[in-house]
Amino acid sequence: MAFRPLSWLFGLFSLDIGIDLGTANTLVNVRGKGIVINEPSWVVIDKKTRIPEKIGLQAKEMVGRTPVTHLAVRPLRDGVISEYEITKALIEYFLSKAHQQTLVPLPRPRVVIGIPSGATEVEKKAVFDAAMESGARETYLIEEPMAAALGAGLPVTDVVGSMVVDIGGGTTEVAVISMNGVVVSRSLRVAGDELDQDIITYIRNKYNLLIGERMAEQVKMTIGSAYPLPTEKTMRVRGRNLVTGLPEELEISSVEIREGLSSSLQVIVDTIKDALDEVPPEIISDLIENGICLAGGGALILGLKERLSDELNLRVWVAEDPLTCVARGAGMVLEDLERYEKLLVVLD
Ligand code: ADP
Ligand code: MG
């Protein structure tokens, strides 16, 4: 490769930022520094004006506790961009926060953003425009499963096929990748949020106890499981008894929660099976060799890899630090745009 002194020099003084615009969490990876921001993708807006007032961590703390005049929203909840202005505010906030962390004023950044694979052309354009309007000098988009696979260390540029299952908050993305491209993919709206809802429904039906979304998420992360545990666990939950209307606390077990989660987990299993059905035999052979990689926060559900292994007859492994795969993958693209150019989304 030819030595390009100017671009090298420019690289020293420019800011390169990779963003994982997740349905649950937004991560910002600054080249040379690593992941500097990791905050929930929540925005609190004024109901009347729809102007964003709190973003990220501050907004998530208000969830379930907002005054009637305000609304806490996740603009990417289902893996689609529901409101352009709010999404733009989110991107603007994270870009400016990353910029503030640099010691010297730097030129406008180059940005790589991960977008859900189910995003429509209009949505992709919206994210691109939002980043440009937020001050990016250049913006590149990459599909999240591709970024996740790259961040997880899968050989995405090789002829060897790999499979990644990224279970986030709003969506589960299944992708089989080979030679820079997605061979087979599935995107479904059953992921972490749905599991939280399952827990709410289960506890309401069984005990007439209504618990909040954040409590349900706590239950999922502490005792939620997909496969019998070596030692089953219990946890205390708090909510409002729907019969008496009074506050109540009760103890719940991992066995019960597993029952509550089973049908959504089965949907995820079946979707992966369905994707495997379409995979060409040569690549199936690669998958037998290399297994299936789990990424995203949902990869941390206890016993999930055992459950999937059992049902799919393949080795299943969890990526290192599964919550940061997309952000790290976006960072790798920035490190070597030439090498990974083929992975990027081309806008019409
Ligand atoms: P997204 O990319 O959609 O923003 P993430 O990959 O950040 O999503 O994952 C967020 C989801 O992972 C949430 O639903 C969260 O509850 C779930 N999660 C995070 N940690 C755990 C854990 N230890 N066990 C189970 N679920 C978890
Ligand atoms: Mg994600």
Side-chain angles (χ1 to χ4, degrees):
M1 198 168 77
F3 181 57
R4 291 168 305 159
L6 269 182
S7 70
W8 174 80
L9 200 66
F10 195 63
L12 269 187
F13 295 106
S14 83
L15 194 57
D16 287 344
I17 298 178
I19 302 181
D20 168 11
L21 206 56
T23 65
N25 299 297
T26 299
L27 280 71
V28 179
N29 187 354
V30 174
R31 188 156 75 110
K33 284 180 143 186
I35 293 166
V36 296
I37 299 171
N38 183 350
E39 290 192 43
S41 311
W42 280 96
V43 181
V44 169
I45 59 169
D46 182 307
K47 259 187 199 162
K48 260 206 202 110
T49 62
R50 300 199 78 77
I51 291 173
E53 292 188 3
K54 294 267 189 290
I55 298 177
L57 219 51
Q58 285 188 328
K60 185 169 185 183
E61 275 162 7
M62 291 179 70
V63 173
R65 301 192 176 101
T66 46
V68 289
T69 49
H70 287 70
L71 199 63
V73 294
R74 277 168 42 194
L76 301 144
R77 181 155 219 154
D78 298 317
V80 297
I81 291 103
S82 52
E83 270 186 77
Y84 179 71
E85 288 303 324
I86 302 174
T87 309
K88 196 176 126 208
L90 200 66
I91 296 176
E92 232 162 45
Y93 168 79
F94 288 114
L95 275 183
S96 74
K97 209 167 165 181
H99 228 149
Q100 278 162 19
Q101 292 183 0
T102 58
L103 297 174
V104 283
L106 292 170
R108 295 188 300 146
R110 284 198 307 182
V111 182
V112 169
I113 306 187
I115 49 152
S117 62
T120 62
E121 209 53 43
V122 173
E123 286 168 348
K124 288 176 196 164
K125 187 78 174 52
V127 172
F128 179 88
D129 289 346
M132 293 308 269
E133 280 177 40
S134 308
R137 180 174 89 243
E138 292 164 29
T139 301
Y140 304 96
L141 305 180
I142 182 167
E143 289 196 357
E144 274 163 12
M146 184 57 94
L150 193 60
L154 299 179
V156 296
T157 55
D158 281 13
V159 281
V160 174
S162 323
M163 184 179 216
V164 66
V165 178
D166 178 353
I167 307 175
T171 57
T172 293
E173 314 247 2
V174 180
V176 176
I177 294 164
S178 150
M179 290 203 321
N180 301 309
V182 174
V183 181
V184 175
S185 73
R186 292 287 183 281
S187 172
L188 86 153
R189 290 180 187 184
V190 176
D193 294 340
E194 189 75 19
L195 299 177
D196 299 345
Q197 289 305 320
D198 289 344
I199 291 173
I200 294 176
T201 309
Y202 183 87
I203 295 179
R204 191 185 55 215
N205 291 347
K206 187 159 180 185
Y207 297 105
N208 279 315
L209 185 73
L210 183 66
I211 64 166
E213 274 180 37
R214 299 189 58 186
M215 173 66 74
E217 186 182 23
Q218 283 297 320
V219 171
K220 175 186 68 181
M221 300 204 292
T222 320
I223 63 170
S225 64
Y227 204 75
L229 300 175
T231 27
E232 298 294 345
K233 307 173 175 209
T234 61
M235 178 182 167
R236 298 195 74 79
V237 295
R238 293 177 188 163
R240 181 162 51 89
N241 184 303
L242 290 169
V243 178
T244 63
L246 297 173
E248 194 177 287
E249 195 180 87
L250 61 83
E251 194 167 75
I252 194 125
S253 77
S254 51
V255 179
E256 294 175 286
I257 296 304
R258 191 160 58 245
E259 185 188 325
L261 298 178
S262 69
S263 60
S264 291
L265 290 175
Q266 194 59 48
V267 173
I268 295 177
V269 172
D270 291 343
T271 305
I272 302 173
K273 278 186 183 164
D274 186 51
L276 282 171
D277 258 355
E278 255 180 54
V279 175
E282 296 297 343
I283 293 184
I284 287 285
S285 140
D286 297 338
L287 299 185
I288 292 173
E289 180 90 15
N290 301 321
I292 298 178
C293 172
L294 301 183
L300 295 169
I301 295 164
L302 298 173
L304 183 63
K305 75 173 192 243
E306 287 79 3
R307 166 88 180 268
L308 292 175
S309 258
D310 248 24
E311 295 222 27
L312 305 171
N313 198 25
L314 283 169
R315 187 165 60 85
V316 179
W317 50 284
V318 177
E320 195 184 323
D321 201 2
L323 283 151
T324 63
C325 286
V326 173
R328 286 184 288 125
M332 286 167 71
V333 172
L334 284 166
E335 294 274 344
D336 199 343
L337 265 174
E338 241 164 80
R339 173 167 180 208
Y340 296 122
E341 197 190 350
K342 291 203 187 92
L343 307 184
L344 299 170
V345 171
V346 182
L347 286 174
D348 285 348

